[in-house]
Amino acid sequence: GEMTKKKKDHLSLTKIYERFTRFALANPDNASGDKFVAVVHPRGDGPRRIIEHSELQTASEENDTEGAPALADCSALQCYLRPREGRDELFRATLSDSENISVKVVKKWMRDGKGTLESFKVTTMNEDIVEELRSNAVKLKTHIEAAIAVKSKSSPSTHQSVMSLAADFVLDDNRQLWLCCVHDVVVTSSSSEDSD
């Protein structure tokens, strides 16, 4: 995928509500069921929560008058993507170095915002997904390091590298993975003088 900066006039909560509703409810199974449209990532280490259509609509309407109190603790708002067959699970790829990448499933995360991390059996039916998760973890590490390098141009003698990270993905009904969240990123620094 590609990351782009949104135009300022597209950043209003009303525009976000319209866009998220259009995307999330394009899945007929979501549109005829719970009508979830967004995932709220709270400040700090609190649990994520899923909000449905009417709750985000109310928040967008309140935002014009009261500042959207329902989203007061929100550090990020993400469009909801229905997991494959409506399963309450995410896939987590944890990279501790480029050679050591574990893949587990986070079950029941929609219920309490955190879920439980469980192992699962790799079979011929899911080995392509596991490989893609591992590959995505390495790509994320590379992208994060590149972003850090661009940001720290003022200190070219220091090299920063990602030692570990965890990334959560949703597997959709088309067996496509979607990045949800990157967390537990550990970055170390070393100066070029250290290697002399």
Side-chain angles (χ1 to χ4, degrees), residues 138-196:
V138 173
K139 288 177 189 172
L140 282 168
K141 175 184 186 295
T142 303
H143 289 304
I144 292 169
E145 287 175 347
I148 291 169
V150 166
K151 189 167 172 91
S152 63
K153 286 260 189 228
S154 60
S155 178
S157 62
T158 302
H159 174 72
Q160 295 181 314
S161 50
V162 174
M163 296 303 295
S164 62
L165 65 81
D168 292 345
F169 295 84
V170 169
L171 180 66
D172 72 9
D173 287 319
N174 298 316
R175 291 182 50 88
Q176 180 173 340
L177 289 167
W178 296 80
L179 177 64
C180 299
C181 173
V182 179
H183 49 94
D184 299 332
V185 178
V186 176
V187 177
T188 61
S189 298
S190 62
S191 69
S192 55
E193 296 151 9
D194 293 343
S195 57
D196 292 341

Side-chain angles (χ1 to χ4, degrees), residues 55-194:
E55 188 178 352
L56 188 58
Q57 181 179 22
T58 301
S60 71
E61 290 166 357
E62 288 174 347
N63 189 46
D64 295 333
T65 58
E66 303 164 36
L71 300 175
D73 70 331
C74 178
S75 69
L77 188 63
Q78 182 178 27
C79 187
Y80 173 79
L81 178 68
R82 182 180 178 271
R84 186 174 185 190
E85 299 170 356
R87 295 178 185 165
D88 188 357
E89 64 186 24
L90 298 170
F91 289 90
R92 179 167 297 161
T94 304
L95 177 137
S96 51
D97 61 55
S98 295
E99 305 299 317
N100 187 9
I101 304 165
S102 68
V103 175
K104 294 191 176 186
V105 65
V106 181
K107 297 219 176 204
K108 300 178 184 170
W109 75 276
M110 292 167 59
R111 294 177 191 185
D112 66 6
K114 293 205 180 242
T116 56
L117 195 58
E118 299 178 14
S119 297
F120 69 97
K121 186 176 180 178
V122 179
T123 67
T124 55
M125 296 298 289
N126 66 15
E127 66 187 354
D128 59 327
I129 300 296
V130 171
E131 262 324 294
E132 188 176 347
L133 286 161
R134 289 184 174 137
S135 172
N136 286 341
V138 173
K139 288 177 189 172
L140 282 168
K141 175 184 186 295
T142 303
H143 289 304
I144 292 169
E145 287 175 347
I148 291 169
V150 166
K151 189 167 172 91
S152 63
K153 286 260 189 228
S154 60
S155 178
S157 62
T158 302
H159 174 72
Q160 295 181 314
S161 50
V162 174
M163 296 303 295
S164 62
L165 65 81
D168 292 345
F169 295 84
V170 169
L171 180 66
D172 72 9
D173 287 319
N174 298 316
R175 291 182 50 88
Q176 180 173 340
L177 289 167
W178 296 80
L179 177 64
C180 299
C181 173
V182 179
H183 49 94
D184 299 332
V185 178
V186 176
V187 177
T188 61
S189 298
S190 62
S191 69
S192 55
E193 296 151 9
D194 293 343

Side-chain angles (χ1 to χ4, degrees), residues 21-36:
T21 299
R22 198 170 39 252
F23 182 84
L25 299 182
N27 182 319
D29 293 320
N30 187 31
S32 65
D34 294 312
K35 296 188 179 172
F36 294 133

